[in-house]
Amino acid sequence: MLRYLLKRLTSLLLTLLVASVVLFVTIEIVPGDPASFMLGINAQPETLEALRSELGLDKSKPQRYWQWLTGMLQGDFGTSYTYKTPVAEMIGDRMWISLPLTLFALLLSTLIAFPAGIYAASRRGRIGDATVTGMTQLGVAIPNFWFAMLLVSFFAIKLRWFSSGGFVGWDQGLFAGLKSLLLPAIALALPQAAILTRVMRSSLLDVLSEDYMRTARAKGMSKRSAIWRHGLRNAMIPVLTILGLQFSFLLAGAIIIEKVFYLPGLGLLVFQSIAQRDLIVVESVVMLLVFAVVMVTFLVDLAYAWVDPRLRARS
Amino acid sequence: MSTSVKAVSKDTVQTLLEINQLNVSINEKPILNNIELSLGKGDVLGIIGESGSGKSMLALSIMGLLPDGFDTAGEINFNQQNLLQATEESLCKLRGSDISMVFQEPMTALNPVLSIGRQVTECVKLHRNVSNKQATDIAEQTLEKVGLPISQYPLSRYPHELSGGQRQRVVIAMAIALQPALLIADEPTTALDVTTQAGILDLLKKLVADEQLALILISHDLAVVNGIADHIVIMRDGDVVERGDLKQLFKHSQHPYTRQLIEASRHVPERVEAATTAPPLLDVENLSCDYRISRKHWWSKPEYFRAVKSVSLSIKRGESVGLVGESGCGKSTLTRALLGLMPIAEGQIHLHGEQLGEGASLSHAVRRKMQVVFQDPYGSFNPRHKVRRLVVEPLHVLEHALSEQEQTVALNDALISVGLEVADADKYIHEFSGGQRQRIAIARALIIKPALIILDEAVSALDVSVRAQILDLLSALAASHHIAYLFISHDLSVVRRVTDRVLVMQKGEIVERGQTEAVFNNPTHPYTQELLAATPTLPDEESVI
Amino acid sequence: MKLRTLVPGSLLVLLFLGAALISFVWTPFDVTKLDIPNKLQSPSFGHWFGTDQLGRDIFSMIMVGARTSIAVAFIAVGIGMLVGVPLGLAAAANQGSVIDELIMRTNDLVFAFPALLIAIMITAVFGPGAVNAIIAIGIFNIPVFARLTRGAALSLWSREFILAAKVAGKRATRISIEHILPNILNLLIVQGTIQFSLGILAEAALSYVGLGAQPPIPSWGRMLAESQTLVSLAPHVALFPGFAILLTVLGLNLLGDALRDWFDPRLQRLRS
């Protein structure tokens, strides 16, 4: 078990390291000098030189990569070219919108998908199954940002139950905060819930045809309790994989949904930074998101080991 | 169909199970027709049939576990209760408590994510209102009873930590934990090695004797039920064709199908023995093969497992040599090495005096002389190609490519010599039965006129009557084409009937070798003796094997 | 065999494919011409889907937008298949080797970057545009196909008909092309339709945030972005492009399901 986790951890850290190199090199391709960009065209050569050395731009590329990497490990993401404030600060504020939004959506998606998938699988071929499957077809096909626009125009503009955008801030209390994230979270969660429902359903159906399900029935279990006691845990194995992938989809989706709701999260920051060519911010946000995705992959690996004893035994 | 001869039990008063006029069908297609059966307490009934005979469907009907969509009619009376009329709820109470079942495939019959202890105790808790402690006690005792003492096999073990035979014992433990009156075992040993099979059969015998358990043992193999079943029932296409005492059936069976089945089970093909002076064809000297075990860490050195240890063997022209051994003994690795499909660690292979290279570098000249027929008649062919393309594939190794016309001639020759028709060349493989597919596989091997064909469990997946036909075909081809065979099988009784010499393999080594009859009559190595003792026999062979 | 989804699926796909093709030669109105006096008109006989904030005909824009969506998604899936499938075949043919390990680890690496992040990076460097959207979605598709191909091919490599081909002296490349590829083609086609529909969604999302096709090329995602402030004023501006995306993706998914059912017996044989 420990060996399995250690092995996964090493491989994930390696992925992270390579990802950081790829990212650094990609951003390095961009022509132009950030220092002259920051100071404008009329800058004095001396001031330019001073700023370049302050930003560490006069060092060699490997040195700068090392500086960037070790800086990040200590929470120092550098200084924004445009706002001249520490990037870490800018990210820190925004992250507390994007991350809760993603987790909220993940929770909603799971809460919808698990019961729906189990229900559909246990009524295979009947009307309940057909209804759920039909809904998932629609759910998978709907673009989440358009769905978000529809939600806004109905619940916020027409019914006025919610504000149509912006974020009240966590200092207004947990409930107020969650309320302003509810519509975005629903918009994000429903399409993903549709995918997860389909996976849950088909995975459970696969499991139902396994020999050990027949054994469970031969023991005297009813269909229902065989599904609950023997089916679900086995069916979870592929569902976990999708759940892990969903996190990264949701994280990326959150960036887009933030635009619909004018939420001042990482997405807004990134698009602003791209427009202002503030590449160090883009670089940092992308790295942070990759880190989050990799960490979730590790959590999924942990969950695998918990669910499946065969993995625990394997080295 | 036949008159209902009641299986006369030792204790005729108490009938446990009585099946009257049972009909099962799906979408109007009959699966079982007018089945009549009866079974007393403590009786052992053997049900024999080839694939498609409906024997497993009969078992599932008794359990009430037929998949959705099957229609049933008639009566299945268990302790005077008609199970076909019973509610699902009352069936759930019976299953696992009064009637239990053991399935064929032990590798998949257990839930992989739950410990064996949990799976056995669950069965107890399901039916009895007992504490966890009591349930665990019962589980421990039952596992002990099936030969899995708690000291060696703690309840916390998971299925993947056990071998196939041990898993089947766990399945049996679940089935008998609550001392059911009836146990149905559907091909419980078919997926197991012969020594493991013997162990499971002994266990079943012991349980029947100790526990007052009635047993229905379903098998395709007459020899398996011999010695256990008091009575047997022969099934074919959903009908019971004959029933009675096994020994009596052997001597006096009236029914042509039973006779055919018995004949096929002990069929000995007519063979021409290779001359002792025949020139050598294949010569293997001190061959060793290694498997790489997956590394512990990506930085650690790869480790190797020696699957074949310094094996030497030789095959003469036209000779048929058997290679027997249980799963994991290294016989498949040896085959792969001979075929150039895996690298050789040490030793040499000479074919026709020419030394074989390694792996893919095996020359076409060598490949021309050696072909193979695999076990699985379903997996051996690319489902997307027609028979023509499948059979001519080995022509690829010829020095000079054949013209279209020459290919057709060769193809037709090959098809006809295996008993197929020229027109079959334009069909797809799924249009053929298992036996026909093995014929096509033989045609594919034959088309380049090899000197040696390796038969890798080539008849193991076939029904006995089809098996007999294929064995006849192989013997006839050996005589007409002067082909040598390396006949690899786990089935000793078949090897005995079709080979001149035999090699016994255990843990990567050849432990015994010699003329087939000599080895079978006077095995010297303890492992050979064990294998022979474990091999199930037909009534009339008991004195022989 | 359940093929209930075949007819509606293929009809929807053909509808949008047809609209995209016809738009090359004819659209009801010129989508590049602005007609401010007629802006934000509701659907009428003249303008079936109404007009947008610049007076352009929405029906025509959806026809041309279909062209962008389908082209971007199709080329991106093509890239994913052309690169991913050979990589997957190579990895399976050399299972456990350095090549296999390298291909799979690179896959893991790409999987750590959701498609949108790749697009963000590419846009940050090269600026936004349809080509960059194609590259971003294409890169994301490569590991999807590589993984699928490797998995399916691996299960075939252990099958006896492959051993028989090896015994017949055929090399790995030839076996991969002759025996493996035809047997996994179904799987690839089904996955292809799924990735196609995901590509359409991704293209729409990228255009919506301004990272996809740039004006004046019409695109469904950007039409939605431009309509966002007008939703309460003229809902049709937001409704029609959204439905276009929804129905195209729905059609592709239904078609994919039908194909999966169609191929199922064979897929099952593959799996067993």
Side-chain angles (χ1 to χ4, degrees):
Chain A
M1 167 94 168
L2 206 62
R3 176 179 281 167
Y4 161 76
L5 289 180
L6 272 178
K7 200 176 161 184
R8 289 302 300 156
L9 200 61
T10 357
S11 126
L12 287 175
L13 285 178
L14 216 65
T15 307
L16 216 50
L17 202 66
V18 179
S20 72
V21 174
V22 171
L23 191 57
F24 184 79
V25 170
T26 314
I27 299 290
E28 279 296 311
I29 296 173
V30 184
D33 177 25
S36 50
F37 175 77
M38 284 166 81
L39 291 175
I41 28 172
N42 300 322
Q44 299 294 317
E46 300 84 55
T47 7
L48 197 67
E49 219 34 62
L51 183 64
R52 281 178 62 86
S53 85
E54 191 193 318
L55 292 175
L57 292 173
D58 51 347
K59 297 202 178 94
S60 74
K61 281 184 179 168
Q63 271 178 322
R64 281 176 35 219
Y65 169 72
W66 184 246
Q67 211 173 20
W68 178 62
L69 193 71
T70 47
M72 272 195 305
L73 289 177
Q74 294 156 10
D76 175 14
F77 288 79
T79 311
S80 157
Y81 301 157
T82 319
Y83 297 102
K84 292 155 188 107
T85 50
V87 177
E89 244 170 61
M90 298 169 74
I91 291 178
D93 294 343
R94 318 293 184 112
M95 204 167 68
W96 291 111
I97 293 173
S98 299
L99 205 63
L101 175 59
T102 306
L103 291 176
F104 194 6
L106 194 65
L107 184 73
L108 279 180
S109 158
T110 317
L111 284 181
I112 298 166
F114 277 31
I118 295 168
Y119 173 80
S122 58
R123 311 219 157 219
R124 178 187 203 164
R126 292 192 230 160
I127 213 146
D129 180 23
T131 316
V132 172
T133 314
M135 302 276 285
T136 62
Q137 282 285 13
L138 273 183
V140 172
I142 205 163
N144 57 12
F145 59 94
W146 182 59
F147 184 51
M149 286 165 63
L150 297 182
L151 286 179
V152 170
S153 66
F154 190 72
F155 289 103
I157 297 176
K158 197 155 191 182
L159 296 178
R160 303 196 169 277
W161 288 359
F162 299 90
S163 81
S164 65
F167 183 68
V168 294
W170 292 110
D171 47 355
Q172 300 290 309
L174 185 67
F175 180 76
L178 284 179
K179 192 185 167 196
S180 53
L181 289 184
L182 183 63
L183 280 189
I186 291 176
L188 261 179
L190 276 190
Q192 296 300 319
I195 296 176
L196 201 58
T197 305
R198 288 166 77 90
V199 175
M200 185 81 215
R201 175 182 176 271
S202 68
S203 161
L204 202 51
L205 285 180
D206 283 349
V207 167
L208 288 183
S209 63
E210 292 282 348
D211 282 356
Y212 54 78
M213 293 303 285
R214 197 176 52 181
T215 310
R217 298 273 286 135
K219 265 184 199 180
M221 278 192 170
S222 67
K223 247 183 195 154
R224 178 188 288 262
S225 60
I227 291 178
W228 279 101
R229 292 208 224 162
H230 291 272
L232 271 185
R233 194 155 161 192
N234 282 290
M236 279 311 290
I237 295 168
V239 171
L240 278 175
T241 315
I242 301 298
L243 210 57
L245 284 178
Q246 291 223 312
F247 179 82
S248 69
F249 277 121
L250 286 170
L251 205 54
I255 293 181
I256 290 172
I257 291 294
E258 282 167 11
K259 188 173 146 73
V260 184
F261 291 91
Y262 306 103
L263 289 174
L266 290 176
L268 227 54
L269 179 66
V270 147
F271 295 124
Q272 218 170 46
S273 308
I274 287 180
Q276 295 164 339
R277 315 285 299 148
D278 200 350
L279 294 182
I280 189 158
V281 178
V282 179
E283 194 179 21
S284 307
V285 173
V286 171
M287 194 61 224
L288 196 72
L289 294 181
V290 170
F291 175 77
V293 170
V294 169
M295 278 305 108
V296 168
T297 315
F298 181 63
L299 286 180
V300 169
D301 285 338
L302 266 180
Y304 273 144
W306 174 67
V307 169
D308 193 343
R310 286 165 293 186
L311 266 184
R312 271 178 254 161
R314 216 181 295 158
S315 65
Chain B
M1 189 83 210
S2 69
T3 51
S4 166
V5 183
K6 274 205 175 168
V8 191
S9 68
K10 293 163 230 159
D11 188 359
T12 30
V13 212
Q14 291 179 296
T15 306
L16 181 68
L17 179 78
E18 191 170 34
I19 298 178
N20 291 324
Q21 292 289 313
L22 174 68
N23 282 283
V24 174
S25 60
I26 182 162
N27 300 332
E28 311 285 310
K29 185 180 162 238
I31 304 292
L32 294 175
N33 310 313
N34 297 325
I35 303 291
E36 303 268 338
L37 269 186
S38 106
L39 188 70
K41 286 195 175 150
D43 275 357
V44 180
L45 175 70
I47 299 182
I48 299 292
E50 295 185 299
S51 47
S53 62
K55 55 193 195 302
S56 295
M57 285 299 153
L58 178 56
L60 291 176
S61 311
I62 300 171
M63 292 298 288
L65 286 178
L66 283 172
D68 289 341
F70 281 87
D71 297 313
T72 52
E75 285 178 13
I76 298 177
N77 291 316
F78 177 77
N79 276 339
Q80 274 83 47
Q81 183 192 4
N82 185 356
L83 300 183
L84 291 182
Q85 304 293 327
T87 60
E88 175 61 24
E89 202 183 334
S90 58
L91 282 175
C92 278
K93 281 189 186 139
L94 281 177
R95 286 185 210 123
S97 168
D98 300 84
I99 312 178
S100 291
M101 187 159 174
V102 174
F103 300 98
Q104 172 172 349
E105 200 36 81
M107 300 314 272
T108 52
L110 293 171
N111 187 338
V113 302
L114 297 180
S115 69
I116 58 168
R118 182 135 170 226
Q119 296 192 54
V120 181
T121 44
E122 177 186 69
C123 192
V124 178
K125 301 259 315 176
L126 208 56
H127 295 283
R128 301 278 186 277
N129 192 13
V130 292
S131 68
N132 284 333
K133 173 82 182 67
Q134 287 167 307
T136 311
D137 285 346
I138 296 178
E140 285 181 0
Q141 287 159 15
T142 319
L143 284 169
E144 186 106 36
K145 215 184 282 174
V146 299
L148 297 175
I150 223 71
S151 50
Q152 276 170 277
Y153 305 97
L155 295 181
S156 55
R157 285 278 176 103
Y158 284 96
H160 68 268
E161 297 167 308
L162 302 175
S163 70
Q166 289 162 345
R167 291 188 206 192
Q168 197 62 300
R169 285 170 191 267
V170 175
V171 177
I172 293 174
M174 294 191 321
I176 61 153
L178 297 171
Q179 285 138 341
L182 173 62
L183 175 65
I184 303 172
D186 186 4
E187 304 261 14
T189 58
T190 308
L192 303 174
D193 276 326
V194 343
T195 49
T196 320
Q197 160 167 291
I200 297 287
L201 291 175
D202 280 345
L203 172 64
L204 289 175
K205 269 185 226 175
K206 190 179 127 244
L207 291 173
V208 168
D210 296 355
E211 311 268 320
Q212 276 300 299
L213 182 73
L215 174 68
I216 297 181
L217 182 59
I218 299 173
S219 181
H220 66 286
D221 189 349
L222 281 162
V224 164
V225 300
N226 182 30
I228 298 189
D230 306 312
H231 304 279
I232 65 165
V233 159
I234 310 269
M235 287 186 71
R236 181 199 195 185
D237 296 337
D239 295 313
V240 170
V241 296
E242 200 167 10
R243 65 184 82 213
D245 174 70
L246 182 61
K247 289 197 178 78
Q248 292 302 312
L249 282 184
F250 255 77
K251 282 187 197 135
H252 310 295
S253 170
Q254 299 304 308
H255 198 281
Y257 180 69
T258 313
R259 289 248 57 93
Q260 183 198 329
L261 206 60
I262 294 169
E263 284 309 320
S265 301
R266 57 182 175 192
H267 179 75
V268 182
E270 271 182 46
R271 300 181 45 249
V272 184
E273 273 190 35
T276 44
T277 55
L281 177 65
L282 178 76
D283 213 0
V284 178
E285 274 171 67
N286 299 321
L287 179 73
S288 296
C289 297
D290 292 336
Y291 264 111
R292 202 163 91 179
I293 308 170
S294 63
R295 288 182 233 188
K296 288 204 179 94
H297 309 281
W298 53 271
W299 63 82
S300 56
K301 271 191 190 167
E303 288 173 40
Y304 294 92
F305 170 73
R306 181 143 288 193
V308 173
K309 296 171 194 157
S310 199
V311 164
S312 298
L313 65 94
S314 72
I315 299 177
K316 288 186 264 215
R317 272 212 87 110
E319 195 182 27
S320 175
V321 175
L323 177 64
V324 297
E326 297 187 293
S327 53
C329 73
K331 58 189 197 296
S332 329
T333 312
L334 179 60
T335 319
R336 284 164 154 265
L338 291 179
L339 289 168
L341 298 178
M342 91 170 271
I344 296 165
E346 279 166 31
Q348 289 181 334
I349 306 173
H350 286 92
L351 185 69
H352 252 292
E354 188 181 340
Q355 186 171 344
L356 269 61
E358 274 182 23
S361 62
L362 205 57
S363 74
H364 282 178
V366 169
R367 294 214 185 270
R368 236 173 283 152
K369 291 174 193 143
M370 189 160 56
Q371 281 296 306
V372 63
V373 175
F374 294 107
Q375 169 176 5
D376 181 6
Y378 295 89
S380 302
F381 301 98
N382 187 339
R384 308 211 145 249
H385 293 169
K386 284 183 177 170
V387 169
R388 171 187 300 278
R389 189 160 171 203
L390 295 171
V391 174
V392 300
E393 184 161 46
L395 291 179
H396 169 74
V397 300
L398 289 185
E399 227 167 328
H400 307 287
L402 293 185
S403 70
E404 190 89 356
Q405 196 164 7
E406 288 168 317
Q407 280 201 7
T408 308
V409 172
L411 170 75
N412 293 348
D413 276 356
L415 287 178
I416 289 166
S417 49
V418 298
L420 292 170
E421 283 165 32
V422 173
D424 289 333
D426 289 316
K427 293 184 186 160
Y428 284 99
I429 197 70
H430 64 255
E431 297 172 56
F432 296 92
S433 69
Q436 285 172 316
R437 288 177 199 211
Q438 276 322 55
R439 285 175 193 268
I440 296 170
I442 296 169
R444 174 169 64 187
L446 218 53
I447 197 164
I448 47 165
K449 306 196 164 47
L452 172 68
I453 298 182
I454 297 179
L455 301 166
D456 187 0
E457 300 275 4
V459 297
S460 302
L462 304 175
D463 277 327
V464 278
S465 43
V466 180
R467 186 178 75 194
Q469 292 162 15
I470 297 291
L471 290 177
D472 279 342
L473 170 67
L474 288 171
S475 301
L477 289 174
S480 60
H481 290 62
H482 301 288
I483 300 170
Y485 292 127
L486 179 58
F487 195 101
I488 298 165
S489 180
H490 70 283
D491 187 338
L492 279 79
S493 57
V494 171
V495 169
R496 175 171 205 175
R497 286 180 249 139
V498 298
T499 57
D500 303 314
R501 284 189 301 123
V502 67
L503 309 163
V504 181
M505 198 164 178
Q506 183 196 22
K507 292 180 187 155
E509 289 174 83
I510 306 270
V511 294
E512 185 157 5
R513 64 179 78 217
Q515 297 296 315
T516 303
E517 273 313 301
V519 170
F520 275 69
N521 289 330
N522 278 312
T524 52
H525 193 275
Y527 180 67
T528 316
Q529 291 163 352
E530 190 191 341
L531 274 182
L532 284 171
T535 303
T537 53
L538 294 168
D540 58 346
E541 290 175 335
E542 267 156 9
S543 51
V544 193
I545 269 194
Chain C
M1 197 171 290
K2 287 191 311 184
L3 284 173
R4 282 170 307 181
T5 58
L6 180 67
V7 176
S10 14
L11 277 182
L12 281 172
V13 172
L14 283 177
L15 181 73
F16 283 96
L17 212 59
L21 288 177
I22 293 171
S23 76
F24 279 105
V25 290
W26 175 82
T27 50
F29 292 85
D30 183 353
V31 293
T32 53
K33 229 188 214 144
L34 310 187
D35 184 11
I36 309 289
N38 281 323
K39 67 176 183 179
L40 295 179
Q41 282 192 0
S42 294
S44 64
F45 191 74
H47 296 282
W48 291 355
F49 290 177
T51 58
D52 73 353
Q53 69 284 359
L54 299 174
R56 291 171 296 186
D57 179 51
I58 292 179
F59 185 79
S60 307
M61 287 182 76
I62 283 181
M63 280 177 75
V64 184
R67 206 157 81 192
T68 319
S69 273
I70 291 174
V72 169
F74 187 81
I75 300 173
V77 173
I79 293 173
M81 274 194 171
L82 284 179
V83 182
V85 173
L87 284 180
L89 287 175
N94 303 290
Q95 193 202 356
S97 70
V98 182
I99 300 173
D100 182 22
E101 194 70 11
L102 202 67
I103 292 173
M104 293 319 289
R105 291 293 80 80
T106 317
N107 271 346
D108 286 350
L109 182 68
V110 180
F111 263 127
F113 291 85
L116 188 76
L117 288 192
I118 299 178
I120 288 175
M121 280 168 60
I122 291 179
T123 325
V125 178
F126 301 106
V131 176
N132 294 339
I134 290 175
I135 296 173
I137 303 172
I139 290 179
F140 183 73
N141 270 318
I142 293 172
V144 172
F145 283 103
R147 226 169 240 220
L148 177 77
T149 306
R150 179 177 178 270
L154 272 187
S155 74
L156 285 171
W157 270 104
S158 61
R159 292 271 296 268
E160 289 175 338
F161 72 88
I162 300 295
L163 290 182
K166 282 194 197 167
V167 171
K170 291 191 174 162
R171 313 258 152 159
T173 316
R174 186 153 173 197
I175 291 176
S176 289
I177 294 167
E178 225 168 81
H179 289 291
I180 308 270
L181 198 56
N183 278 296
I184 62 171
L185 209 55
N186 305 329
L187 218 56
L188 293 177
I189 291 171
V190 171
Q191 192 65 37
T193 55
I194 295 169
Q195 293 308 119
F196 196 175
S197 74
L198 289 177
I200 294 211
L201 282 174
E203 191 275 335
L206 289 179
S207 302
Y208 174 76
V209 291
L211 301 183
Q214 296 301 300
I217 307 170
S219 103
W220 294 342
R222 214 185 47 258
M223 287 169 77
L224 284 174
E226 288 165 358
S227 77
Q228 197 177 332
T229 49
L230 309 164
V231 172
S232 48
L233 203 63
H236 68 271
V237 186
L239 280 181
F240 290 113
F243 273 118
I245 301 170
L246 174 72
L247 291 177
T248 313
V249 174
L250 185 66
L252 281 165
N253 285 339
L254 291 176
L255 187 63
D257 279 4
L259 290 175
R260 191 197 306 262
D261 285 349
W262 177 273
F263 293 136
D264 201 31
R266 208 168 280 268
L267 286 184
Q268 233 143 34
R269 231 177 293 154
L270 260 182
R271 269 184 242 123
S272 65

